[in-house]
Amino acid sequence: MEDSEIMKLYFARDEAAIQETASKYGAFCHGIAYNILAIREDCEECVNDTYLKAWDTIPPQQPDHFGAWLGKVVRNIALNLWKKNHRQKRYVGMEQLLDELAECIPSHVNVESEIAAAEITAILNQWLSSLPKDERILFVRRYWNGDTLKNLAKRYHTTPTELANRMFRMRNDLKNVLEREGILL
């Protein structure tokens, strides 16, 4: 079913909208949640909360890119659950991703850092748009969707080691770009 038809079901308050959303985007949402949480029960909870959020939000909202919107919602819900449970040291996957990015993206929370965050966002978007399409998709799949190196290596027909080296070079390139732009790391 097309996204526009699913939107019509939400606007008609037809519960079939959730079934159609699950049918079309369930695996995608589960993948994002699992890459962050790595616990199946928590992933189920996040995906169900995502469907509830869609039901409560649509209408009045009507996302232009429904799949991307769902991905953002499930990612945010999963990250919030990860933060809540992180004190219990239950999750390893997200910690690894954050550690990989820690070298090139600073994390100091204050007013100045909020301004710097906007600058970093603009620089990051520009840097991503300068990458070849496959590199950009790889970076986003790894650091936004949280895909594992093993799964990405399979998709890109390479080894996890070669892919880790490729990701390392991309992170170094990003770090160099940020430093050139005056972002203190």
Side-chain angles (χ1 to χ4, degrees), residues 2 9 29 47 64-65 84 107 142 177:
E2 294 296 318
L9 293 174
C29 291
V47 172
D64 292 330
H65 304 285
K84 176 183 163 194
S107 175
R142 176 72 175 139
V177 167

Side-chain angles (χ1 to χ4, degrees), residues 10 16 18 34 39 68-69 83 98 108 113 122 146 151 157 159 174 176 180 183:
Y10 278 105
I18 294 173
Y34 190 80
I39 297 174
W69 183 84
K83 288 174 188 172
L98 294 173
H108 309 287
S113 68
N151 289 341
H157 308 291
T159 66
L174 174 58
N176 291 334
R180 271 196 313 268
I183 303 297

Side-chain angles (χ1 to χ4, degrees), residues 111-175:
V111 174
E112 293 161 353
S113 68
E114 292 295 322
I115 294 168
E119 291 175 23
I120 291 171
T121 300
I123 294 167
L124 180 60
N125 286 336
Q126 184 178 6
W127 177 76
L128 281 170
S129 67
S130 74
L131 294 176
K133 183 178 180 180
D134 64 325
E135 296 282 312
R136 183 173 51 248
I137 292 170
L138 175 63
F139 191 86
V140 170
R141 281 189 172 146
R142 176 72 175 139
Y143 296 114
W144 179 261
N145 293 358
D147 282 350
T148 64
L149 286 174
K150 182 180 176 182
N151 289 341
L152 289 170
K154 215 180 282 183
R155 177 180 292 247
Y156 283 84
H157 308 291
T158 186
T159 66
T161 303
E162 288 175 12
L163 192 59
N165 289 332
R166 190 171 166 188
M167 298 305 299
F168 177 75
R169 288 190 300 274
M170 280 196 290
R171 287 192 312 272
N172 277 342
D173 183 48
L174 174 58
K175 181 179 178 181

Side-chain angles (χ1 to χ4, degrees), residues 26-93:
F28 171 69
C29 291
H30 277 274
I32 291 173
Y34 190 80
N35 288 336
I36 294 170
L37 301 169
I39 297 174
R40 192 162 312 283
E41 293 80 13
D42 289 347
C43 296
E44 287 291 330
E45 179 184 336
C46 286
V47 172
N48 288 335
D49 287 350
T50 299
Y51 299 150
L52 178 62
K53 175 83 171 179
W55 182 258
D56 290 343
T57 307
I58 306 168
Q61 286 188 17
Q62 185 171 357
D64 292 330
H65 304 285
F66 188 50
W69 183 84
L70 283 171
K72 182 179 178 183
V73 170
V74 73
R75 182 178 186 274
N76 288 339
I77 291 171
L79 285 172
N80 288 337
L81 184 58
W82 179 83
K83 288 174 188 172
K84 176 183 163 194
N85 293 326
H86 182 67
R87 292 180 291 268
Q88 300 169 8
K89 301 288 184 192
R90 293 177 66 192
Y91 304 114
V92 179

